[in-house]
Amino acid sequence: EVQVVESGGAVVQPGGSLRLSCAASGFSFDDYTMHWVRQTAGAGLEWVSLISWDGAVSSYAGSVRGRFTISRDNSKNSLYLDMNSLRIEDSGFYYCVKDRQFGFASGYSHPMDVWGQGTTVTVSS
Amino acid sequence: DIEVTQSPSSLSASRGDRVTITCRTSQSIGSDLNWYQQKPGKAPNLLIYGASNLQSGVPSRFSGSGSRTEFTLIITSLQPEDVATYYCQYSDNTLITFGQGTRLEIK
């Protein structure tokens, strides 16, 4: 079964740090771009970051650029999101998501075909 | 930056109705638009990719059309299990944006 499972969500104070992890299985992890997408309570979806299959290309939403770092370990079929200088508005449900497209192309629309169940990040004093 | 406007923000329709949801972008994006369904309490699910391609396992009552700046998601015969929020999504190089979402309810 193709699946991704997130972990690492927690309650953290403003200004704090957190690392989210995602374990992938059932597909060739090192062939696909991976994403983090978040959703705040009662709100819509916000794309956070992507990383290409080989880790050579990464991209971030403006709201997290300079504070969050995406990485992957293909030997462990794992994706990570290091979150620093956390703000209250970073609170939400974080999804690990697989890109549908094999490989990577910057001009591609990046449809996302496998979503985890998410992990909750709460930034509160 | 490319802006997207998804409409309507919510709608209510009857079982068997044809439902249309639209996304408009401020610049042409060719056919590079995708649609998702998110049922309450669940993760999103990819419905349509590349504007009009049906993702495997998605019922054929769902279809997508459009190009350049205007795109449409159509449900030809609304079913109770289609109650969900629907999102469009596009990529501007490596920056990805979701539409604001359309909440669909059954009358």
Side-chain angles (χ1 to χ4, degrees), chain B residues 66-101:
Chain B
S67 65
R68 296 178 57 80
T69 62
E70 186 160 335
F71 302 86
T72 301
L73 173 70
I74 297 171
I75 308 172
T76 53
S77 178
L78 186 66
Q79 300 301 307
E81 60 265 33
D82 300 334
V83 169
T85 300
Y86 293 83
Y87 297 91
C88 61
Q89 171 257 313
Y90 70 93
S91 173
D92 180 7
N93 199 3
T94 57
L95 296 178
I96 292 170
T97 302
F98 287 92
Q100 299 87 352

Side-chain angles (χ1 to χ4, degrees), chain A residues 100 108-109 111-112, chain B residues 31-35 46-56:
Chain A
R100 187 184 186 280
Y108 187 56
S109 67
M112 304 174 206
Chain B
S31 297
D32 293 336
L33 187 110
N34 310 307
W35 291 97
L46 177 65
L47 296 176
I48 303 287
Y49 63 94
S52 61
N53 300 290
L54 191 68
Q55 172 69 359
S56 175

Side-chain angles (χ1 to χ4, degrees), chain A residues 8-23:
Chain A
V11 179
V12 61
Q13 291 188 337
S17 299
L18 198 61
R19 168 175 260 209
L20 304 184
S21 299
C22 170

Side-chain angles (χ1 to χ4, degrees), chain A residues 92-110:
Chain A
F93 211 58
Y94 283 71
Y95 293 103
C96 168
V97 193
K98 170 188 168 291
D99 199 297
R100 187 184 186 280
Q101 176 68 23
F102 180 93
F104 179 81
S106 61
Y108 187 56
S109 67
H110 297 288

Side-chain angles (χ1 to χ4, degrees), chain A residues 8-13 17-18 86 120-125:
Chain A
V11 179
V12 61
Q13 291 188 337
S17 299
L18 198 61
L86 282 162
T120 301
V121 173
T122 302
V123 184
S124 174
S125 55

